[in-house]
Amino acid sequence: MIYPKISIVTPSFNQAEYIEETICSVLSQNYPNLEYFIVDGASTDQSVQIIKQFENSLSYWVSEADHGQSHAINKGITRTNGQIINWLNSDDYYEPNTLKIVSNQLISPLTGLGGRSRLFNSKGTLSYSRGTDVFLDNPAKTIGWARIDQPETFFTKEAWDKVGLLNDQLHYCMDREWWMRFVYEFGLDSFKKINEVLVNFRIHDNSKTQTSQPGFLKEHHSIYYAMAKVISNHKAMGFMEKHLPLDRQLDTLISCWKDSQLVQHSFNYYLLKSAHENYAQGNFVLAKGFLKLVRKEWLAPEDLKIHTKLTFRMKLPHSIIEAFRKF
């Protein structure tokens, strides 16, 4: 069997508690055509000493100051020569046969493959992910809702070459913005989802997902604010500027997109999702504001039902809305 070269990059900073398990999970794949790069951000714990134990099995490693996780990943990606590329954070680890499963499944004409992950903490398994959200025949919804489970989602070199590197201005949603660009460039026909669990995703007190929710939220809305600028949706921009945490100067690559129907419809789905999420969280002012901006004629029939339901409930007294939210 001919195994395509797979390139894995691990960015790390002060993860000595977990990084050995990460490294071993990659090397123990015994994948016959592997490149493995570790980019450490000048850790001050025992990370470097641990990495040195494996340096003869690594394609490259470095420990030096960087500008954050996205910058570190990009430094690794630019060195890769693999036909399949992904990064694995230094507190997660692969299932034993992950790379062989990926190499068997991610074949031309596919450019992307998504599996599932096991979410766990120090007490054991919490749940299993459903994987990256892909709405078949609806790239606008896929971009507008933009939820990627990055560790178990692999892409080809062709995809990376066309989409480009991560935006290193982003520190929390860089994978989400890259996924949006991927769908914009390739659509969904060359992406495949499988049911296999590929990655073990660790939840711990110092992980970004636990400590940096405000940062995720600000970057998320800022990315779509950049999209609103592309389509000159000044009404939405004004609403977002008034009510949301934003980096108005964020220069995302989305700002280079053409003013196409896909961009307009994608932003419309962002508005619908934001309305639904704020309704669920009890933020009724935001929910109503987002809902008023949605263009119903741009929604698929099943999503129009969500809009209709929210519109009906938003007209009710708050006490009744609270009762509805329990169902």
Side-chain angles (χ1 to χ4, degrees), residues 32-172:
N33 201 1
L34 171 70
E35 286 186 327
Y36 187 31
F37 305 84
I38 299 178
V39 183
D40 181 80
S43 291
T44 56
D45 60 6
Q46 299 299 308
S47 294
V48 172
Q49 289 89 324
I50 294 171
I51 295 169
K52 284 183 176 179
Q53 296 175 24
F54 299 93
E55 61 183 347
N56 291 335
S57 300
L58 302 176
S59 303
Y60 171 83
W61 75 276
V62 69
S63 182
E64 61 186 16
D66 54 44
H67 304 303
Q69 185 182 13
S70 300
H71 181 232
I73 295 166
N74 283 343
K75 288 199 306 185
I77 296 293
T78 55
R79 288 181 170 270
T80 62
N81 295 293
Q83 296 164 260
I84 298 170
I85 301 170
N86 200 6
W87 76 88
L88 179 69
N89 292 325
S90 53
D91 48 2
D92 302 329
Y93 64 94
Y94 286 139
E95 283 288 291
N97 293 311
T98 290
L99 298 187
K100 288 183 179 178
I101 291 172
V102 171
S103 70
N104 287 336
Q105 296 279 350
L106 185 44
I107 56 178
S108 182
L110 296 180
T111 55
L113 179 78
R116 298 171 59 221
S117 62
R118 179 182 74 96
L119 283 66
F120 72 102
N121 62 12
S122 59
K123 297 180 181 179
T125 300
L126 299 172
S127 62
Y128 290 86
S129 79
R130 64 178 183 266
T132 294
D133 284 346
V134 176
F135 301 99
L136 294 178
D137 301 321
N138 198 338
K141 184 175 181 179
T142 305
I143 294 172
W145 288 24
R147 197 192 68 82
I148 180 174
D149 281 347
Q150 173 275 316
E152 64 263 33
T153 308
F154 292 73
F155 297 93
T156 63
K157 185 180 187 324
E158 176 189 357
W160 279 97
D161 285 346
K162 186 169 185 178
V163 177
L165 295 171
L166 299 175
N167 186 336
D168 61 14
Q169 293 183 65
L170 297 169
H171 302 289
Y172 305 100

Side-chain angles (χ1 to χ4, degrees), residues 52-307:
K52 284 183 176 179
Q53 296 175 24
F54 299 93
E55 61 183 347
N56 291 335
S57 300
L58 302 176
S59 303
Y60 171 83
W61 75 276
V62 69
S63 182
E64 61 186 16
D66 54 44
H67 304 303
Q69 185 182 13
S70 300
H71 181 232
I73 295 166
N74 283 343
K75 288 199 306 185
I77 296 293
T78 55
R79 288 181 170 270
T80 62
N81 295 293
Q83 296 164 260
I84 298 170
I85 301 170
N86 200 6
W87 76 88
L88 179 69
N89 292 325
S90 53
D91 48 2
D92 302 329
Y93 64 94
Y94 286 139
E95 283 288 291
N97 293 311
T98 290
L99 298 187
K100 288 183 179 178
I101 291 172
V102 171
S103 70
N104 287 336
Q105 296 279 350
L106 185 44
I107 56 178
S108 182
L110 296 180
T111 55
L113 179 78
R116 298 171 59 221
S117 62
R118 179 182 74 96
L119 283 66
F120 72 102
N121 62 12
S122 59
K123 297 180 181 179
T125 300
L126 299 172
S127 62
Y128 290 86
S129 79
R130 64 178 183 266
T132 294
D133 284 346
V134 176
F135 301 99
L136 294 178
D137 301 321
N138 198 338
K141 184 175 181 179
T142 305
I143 294 172
W145 288 24
R147 197 192 68 82
I148 180 174
D149 281 347
Q150 173 275 316
E152 64 263 33
T153 308
F154 292 73
F155 297 93
T156 63
K157 185 180 187 324
E158 176 189 357
W160 279 97
D161 285 346
K162 186 169 185 178
V163 177
L165 295 171
L166 299 175
N167 186 336
D168 61 14
Q169 293 183 65
L170 297 169
H171 302 289
Y172 305 100
C173 297
M174 61 282 196
D175 51 352
R176 186 177 304 174
E177 194 249 12
W178 195 94
W179 167 241
M180 294 165 71
R181 286 189 274 141
F182 170 85
V183 178
Y184 180 81
E185 294 287 352
F186 286 92
L188 299 174
D189 290 342
S190 68
F191 188 87
K192 178 181 179 181
K193 287 193 68 170
I194 59 176
N195 198 45
E196 282 86 348
V197 174
L198 304 177
V199 175
N200 297 277
F201 184 87
R202 191 187 309 269
I203 306 293
H204 59 91
D205 291 341
N206 295 320
S207 61
K208 279 186 177 181
T209 51
Q210 295 294 98
T211 63
S212 303
Q213 284 305 309
F216 278 99
L217 188 64
K218 183 176 181 178
E219 284 195 356
H220 171 77
H221 289 305
S222 297
I223 290 168
Y224 287 99
Y225 180 79
M227 186 182 287
K229 283 196 275 188
V230 169
I231 58 177
S232 300
N233 191 332
H234 299 292
K235 188 174 182 179
M237 289 170 62
F239 175 79
M240 296 171 77
E241 290 168 1
K242 182 177 180 180
H243 293 284
L244 300 175
L246 292 173
D247 179 357
R248 301 186 195 182
Q249 305 305 314
L250 182 65
D251 183 23
T252 77
L253 295 180
I254 288 172
S255 63
C256 300
W257 290 4
K258 297 177 182 178
D259 183 1
S260 69
Q261 185 181 83
L262 176 59
V263 181
Q264 294 181 39
H265 288 200
S266 298
F267 184 74
N268 199 54
Y269 269 104
Y270 156 77
L271 296 173
L272 178 65
K273 185 181 182 184
S274 297
H276 192 271
E277 288 179 341
N278 279 283
Y279 166 80
Q281 295 163 7
N283 301 323
F284 301 130
V285 171
L286 283 178
K288 288 181 179 179
F290 276 117
L291 197 61
K292 288 179 180 179
L293 295 168
V294 175
R295 296 189 60 168
K296 297 186 293 182
E297 65 271 23
W298 289 352
L299 299 175
E302 63 270 20
D303 303 311
L304 184 57
K305 292 179 182 178
I306 297 175
H307 184 278

